[in-house]
Structures are given as C-alpha cells and as structure tokens.
Amino acid sequence: MTANWAAFATAEPDLADTVEKRFGAYTHHVLATLRKDGSPRTSGLEVRFLSGELWLGMMPDSVKALDLRRDPRFALQANPGEGTGMGGGDVRISGRAIEVEDAETKAGYVEEVEPPEPFHLFRTELTEVVRTYVEDDTYLVVQVWTPGEPLRTIKRT
C-alpha cells in the first residue's frame, strides 16, 4: 500500500509538518536508489513539497534517475545539518518514485521551482515515514507511519 504526500499529511499532520520543516532546513539531502546489480547507491538531491506531492527533480540521464526508471524504490533522508543536534530529529521517507512525463504537470513544476531544463521529474508514493529523536535527554523516540496504519511511537531508554 502507498500514499502520496497529501494523504500522509491528512493522516498525520503534526508529523508531516515536522518532516517538511526538517527537509526545508537544508537544500541538499540523501537519496538511496538501487543499481542494476541490486546494490545501493546514495546521491545528493533537492526535494520539493508542492500541490500535495513530494517531488524529486533530477538532471537528465543522471544515474539516480536511471536507477529509479529501472526500479522505482527509494529511501530519502533529510540532511542532518551541522554537529549532532539534528534539530527536529532524523527523518526518513521510503517509497516508490514515478516519473512524470505529462507536459502540463512538468510546466507547473517549472513555474514553481525554475529548475534547469531538461530534467527528470518524479512524483513519490510513500510506503513509510520515520522520525527519530531524543526526548528529555532520556528517551530515544521513534515514530513510524505506514499507509493505512496508525502512527506507531516507540520509546527506548
């Protein structure tokens, strides 16, 4: 089961707001894709939250775009920032990236983002959103959301 960003934000608005803020704090993040042989590849990436979707834009024929065309599974981790504070916690999103070929949709993205052209544009379908943070300098808290399930919160000392 998958969900787009709007469905996630409707189901868990507080967590969605925290995740967007974490991604918004820095420009570059880490995308994990799968190579032809199935081994992982990590790449830098900028992301956008627009019109109820999480978008991934990429340079033409970049290896990450070719990876996603071949196997749409991805994991995305927000830039943790400087030091060890990780204000707002560590956030990760997993899912499937679906390439958008529709000229009208791409034109709307260009109007908002003004990326260098040409480019690949992927819309995401989420399978999991995870936030990990420290509470009261005592607990490691892990929040896990998957489509169709209630938010799970796990606290560890």
Side-chain angles (χ1 to χ4, degrees), residues 15-119:
L15 181 56
D17 184 58
T18 298
V19 171
E20 282 194 50
K21 285 178 181 171
R22 283 294 293 119
F23 277 98
Y26 298 93
T27 303
H28 297 99
H29 307 287
V30 178
L31 175 72
T33 58
L34 296 170
R35 300 171 191 256
K36 282 183 191 178
D37 66 4
S39 63
R41 180 192 319 269
T42 58
S43 307
L45 181 76
E46 295 180 29
V47 302
R48 302 286 185 195
F49 298 90
L50 298 168
S51 304
E53 301 286 357
L54 168 57
W55 300 97
L56 311 176
M58 300 169 201
M59 291 172 36
D61 298 324
S62 62
V63 292
K64 58 191 162 195
L66 299 177
D67 285 349
L68 290 172
R69 280 181 160 178
R70 186 177 48 262
D71 186 328
R73 294 176 292 173
F74 74 90
L76 179 64
Q77 183 159 8
N79 184 328
E82 296 180 28
T84 59
M86 294 180 64
D90 174 49
V91 295
R92 299 178 306 277
I93 299 170
S94 298
R96 295 170 34 90
I98 310 304
E99 188 161 16
V100 174
E101 304 280 355
D102 175 65
E104 185 176 330
T105 301
K106 285 184 88 169
Y109 183 85
V110 167
E111 188 174 309
E112 288 287 331
V113 178
E114 299 180 359
E117 294 189 59
F119 66 100

Side-chain angles (χ1 to χ4, degrees), residues 5-23 88 91 129-131 133 143 145 151 153:
W5 186 259
F8 165 61
T10 297
E12 293 298 333
D14 292 339
L15 181 56
D17 184 58
T18 298
V19 171
E20 282 194 50
K21 285 178 181 171
R22 283 294 293 119
F23 277 98
V91 295
V129 178
V130 178
R131 177 184 179 217
Y133 63 98
Q143 296 176 299
W145 176 85
L151 180 66
T153 301

